[in-house]
Amino acid sequence: MRQPNILYIMSDDHAANAISCYGSRLAAVFHTPNIDRIANEGARLGNFFSTNAICTPARASIMTGQYGHINGVRTLDDALRPEGSPNLAAVLQEAGYDTALFGKWHLHCEPVGFDEYKYLTKHGGQGTYRDPDFAEKDRGAVNCRGYVTDIITGMALDWLRARDRRRPFFLMCHHKAPHDLWEYPERHEHLFDGLDIPVPDSLFENKGHRSLASRDFGASVTPRSTVRNLYEMFCDPDYVTGPLTGTENSTFEEKGIAAYQKYLRDYLRTVAGIDDSVGALLAELEEQATLDDTVVIYTSDQGMFLGEHDYWDKRWSYEESLRSPFLVRYPREITPQSVRDDLMANIDVAPTVLDYGEADVPEDMQGFSCRGMLGGEPEAARRQVVYFRYWMHLAHGLHVPAHYGIRTDQWKLIFYYGLPLDATGAQKEKTPAGWELYDMESDPFELHNLYGETACAGVARELRQKLHEAKQQYDNTDEQYPGLKERLEVTE
Ligand SMILES: [Ca+2]
């Protein structure tokens, strides 16, 4: 059988909760019919995780199949060294694929392994929503007029139409949206007229159950990661989608809800633009009578807080941020409406895609292929543990301390070490160390930290052993940081 085409669509900061087939509280007011179509005609993963919930490192792990401490991209400020790491696109290119990338790249280096690419420049690789600039392979800078999601979609469609149809293709369509600041396409301006967006139960969470390490630890300013802080930003008369007005005399709680409503409206309108893009790409493949010969993947570099725990942004390893959507349509192997709850990590993406492409997986990739699991094979290898780590201690005024941990089917264990170590862009100030333990079955929103509770002492011990083993398995043992080892002894 001929190698399948592979269409990999990745957005930026798209929470699974903002895709209607995931069935969150938002599904009552917001629908993503085109993205849902991939799940309805394929598989939806409930437990796909980023191994470092921030853009550049997540993207580097997807391209290389390696953790950031191996490929060198631990923080937003690190650049990928393409010559020093395995590369998903280059391996597929060698296996006979036509390869292309359009949209956000954000790895601070020139892409390698693509026959054609145009990636967003400006703002350190984030790009702009309106009239964006791109760098094009062999041609340099290009300015485009219009809205970024539509421009990237147009580039992908043009390339699909012009390609050599005798060869399989690998197309990465990487949207900038819905990254902040949430500039939506004008056609979705009235999407929520007369509607209230449901509020998460944890918007005003009392974080007293947590370890000292993850509370606001006496920050002298309102942490930028909170919805309260968005209120202040939204009141700026020059705010990009227009200021929030009429709430000057509101209570603290009312201001929080007003900020939440504006945040979600702008964010979801931006997502609606992505859903349009997915519809156009699927329609083009149908038009070319090649949709069923194509592995279509929809995912995001990591998740996003949509007001849960009073947060926006990501970085924290709580579920809304660490978990990404992952949908795959490939009718040759995947039964429609499959729902998979097996664990998958972003280091598994490259091996999985290579497996679909009948290409050899380089030995130095650290993940493994989930193709069998996605196809429902009972004997297929299953991931038991996802190891994750956030290195960029306190960066960007977001007050997220450095930490690592593991997620299993039932549990999440997080250790906040609260030190910058030698990570690029990390802040020098130390924060308290602490452990947190959550039972994801009985407490899916992580509102009851169990670490230190006598009844959970055995589970905590077992999970600490598993964490230790995962760190050894992935060669991330921290033995070069003596100050960190002592912090492991903290008891709460
Ligand atoms: Ca991102």
Side-chain angles (χ1 to χ4, degrees):
M1 189 161 46
R2 199 186 114 132
Q3 290 160 298
N5 302 312
I6 298 162
L7 171 59
Y8 180 87
I9 309 168
M10 182 162 75
S11 48
D12 192 357
D13 299 0
H14 191 178
N17 284 340
I19 296 178
S20 37
C21 70
Y22 275 96
S24 78
R25 68 183 189 280
L26 302 173
V29 294
F30 180 65
H31 300 104
T32 47
N34 294 302
I35 299 174
D36 287 358
R37 182 182 168 193
I38 300 172
N40 289 335
E41 298 173 3
R44 164 165 64 87
L45 264 74
N47 285 316
F48 174 70
F49 295 99
S50 183
T51 50
N52 183 347
I54 189 168
C55 303
T56 302
R59 287 155 192 272
S61 287
I62 286 164
M63 288 308 296
T64 63
Q66 293 180 331
Y67 277 94
H69 60 270
I70 303 291
N71 64 32
V73 186
R74 299 182 301 178
T75 78
L76 218 53
D77 294 347
D78 292 323
L80 183 67
R81 292 164 287 112
E83 67 288 353
S85 307
N87 177 328
L88 167 60
V91 179
L92 284 175
Q93 196 177 38
E94 267 191 34
Y97 276 79
D98 275 347
T99 59
L101 161 86
F102 300 108
K104 186 170 171 181
W105 173 243
H106 206 202
L107 291 175
H108 312 305
C109 66
E110 211 56 27
V112 167
F114 295 99
D115 299 310
E116 189 165 336
Y117 60 74
K118 288 178 196 164
Y119 67 88
L120 285 162
T121 55
K122 283 205 173 160
H123 302 312
Q126 298 281 11
T128 56
Y129 272 101
R130 310 276 173 196
D131 301 338
D133 286 340
F134 290 81
E136 180 174 359
K137 186 178 184 185
D138 302 328
R139 293 181 60 190
V142 192
N143 176 259
C144 297
R145 306 289 292 174
Y147 183 69
V148 69
T149 303
D150 300 338
I151 291 167
I152 293 167
T153 307
M155 288 173 174
L157 291 173
D158 288 347
W159 186 80
L160 284 172
R161 287 168 187 151
R163 71 194 169 90
D164 176 353
R165 299 195 186 186
R166 293 164 300 182
R167 286 158 57 92
F169 71 79
F170 173 55
L171 170 59
M172 300 189 97
C173 180
H174 285 192
H175 286 297
K176 167 184 173 55
H179 191 283
D180 67 272
L181 300 169
W182 308 278
E183 290 184 62
Y184 50 85
E186 280 160 23
R187 62 182 177 275
H188 293 305
E189 170 80 31
H190 297 291
L191 199 55
F192 298 104
D193 285 2
L195 283 176
D196 267 337
I197 314 285
V199 174
D201 292 341
S202 58
L203 180 60
F204 296 107
E205 177 188 3
N206 176 346
K207 297 195 175 76
H209 67 97
R210 288 195 185 173
S211 71
L212 279 179
S214 73
R215 301 185 203 169
D216 291 345
F217 44 82
S220 53
V221 291
T222 309
R224 276 192 63 227
S225 57
T226 61
V227 174
R228 282 169 285 159
N229 190 282
L230 285 182
Y231 177 81
E232 290 155 30
M233 184 171 88
F234 288 159
C235 287
D236 183 333
D238 296 325
Y239 182 70
V240 65
T241 59
L244 183 60
T245 54
T247 55
E248 298 78 9
N249 300 318
S250 301
T251 63
F252 172 76
E253 203 158 289
E254 288 164 343
K255 286 177 178 174
I257 288 175
Y260 169 83
Q261 290 291 333
K262 179 167 177 60
Y263 168 34
L264 267 285
R265 281 163 188 262
D266 286 1
Y267 178 91
L268 296 174
R269 287 164 173 149
T270 311
V271 171
I274 304 249
D275 193 64
D276 298 337
S277 168
V278 171
L281 291 168
L282 295 178
E284 178 59 30
L285 295 182
E286 252 176 341
E287 176 75 26
Q288 295 187 14
T290 194
L291 180 59
D292 289 352
D293 300 319
T294 304
V295 178
V296 179
I297 295 174
Y298 183 84
T299 188
S300 171
D301 56 349
Q302 83 297 299
M304 186 76 172
F305 292 106
L306 301 177
E308 301 89 358
H309 310 285
D310 188 20
Y311 295 144
W312 63 282
D313 204 74
K314 53 271 180 176
R315 303 169 193 246
W316 296 101
S317 292
Y318 302 113
E319 207 73 349
E320 295 84 357
S321 152
L322 195 67
R323 185 170 78 125
S324 288
F326 199 91
L327 311 171
V328 196
R329 185 190 188 281
Y330 186 43
R332 283 185 194 166
E333 292 184 15
I334 299 174
T335 314
Q337 300 191 5
S338 298
V339 176
R340 308 267 178 248
D341 287 324
D342 297 282
L343 300 172
M344 181 171 169
N346 64 0
I347 53 165
D348 301 330
V349 170
T352 302
V353 171
L354 291 174
D355 195 2
Y356 280 122
E358 308 291 346
D360 290 335
V361 178
E363 276 182 14
D364 50 354
M365 285 192 175
Q366 295 179 297
F368 65 90
S369 172
C370 295
R371 178 179 174 181
M373 178 274 281
L374 292 166
E377 287 175 20
E379 301 302 317
R382 297 293 202 274
R383 179 172 278 289
Q384 304 299 315
V385 166
V386 175
Y387 171 63
F388 54 81
R389 182 159 189 163
Y390 177 72
W391 291 85
M392 210 171 183
H393 185 62
L394 304 185
H396 307 130
L398 286 152
H399 295 89
V400 182
H403 61 271
Y404 58 72
I406 52 170
R407 172 73 156 80
T408 70
D409 277 345
Q410 187 181 351
W411 303 98
K412 185 183 288 173
L413 179 71
I414 307 174
F415 172 57
Y416 290 94
Y417 57 89
L419 300 171
L421 305 180
D422 53 0
T424 324
Q427 297 301 297
K428 296 252 178 299
E429 181 194 341
K430 294 178 185 176
T431 54
W435 290 88
E436 290 178 17
L437 172 66
Y438 295 96
D439 181 341
M440 303 308 301
E441 282 176 11
S442 66
D443 180 27
F445 301 113
E446 295 158 301
L447 299 172
H448 187 186
N449 166 34
L450 296 168
Y451 201 89
E453 293 196 7
T454 318
C456 294
V459 173
R461 228 182 355 259
E462 211 175 288
L463 288 165
R464 279 186 67 159
Q465 179 59 25
K466 279 195 171 137
L467 171 59
H468 177 70
E469 287 165 11
K471 287 177 69 65
Q472 293 208 311
Q473 178 186 348
Y474 295 117
D475 196 18
N476 188 215
T477 55
D478 287 325
E479 277 161 12
Q480 69 272 39
Y481 306 121
L484 195 158
K485 202 170 179 183
E486 290 141 28
R487 295 198 139 211
L488 284 164
E489 303 311 319
V490 68
T491 53
E492 58 180 318

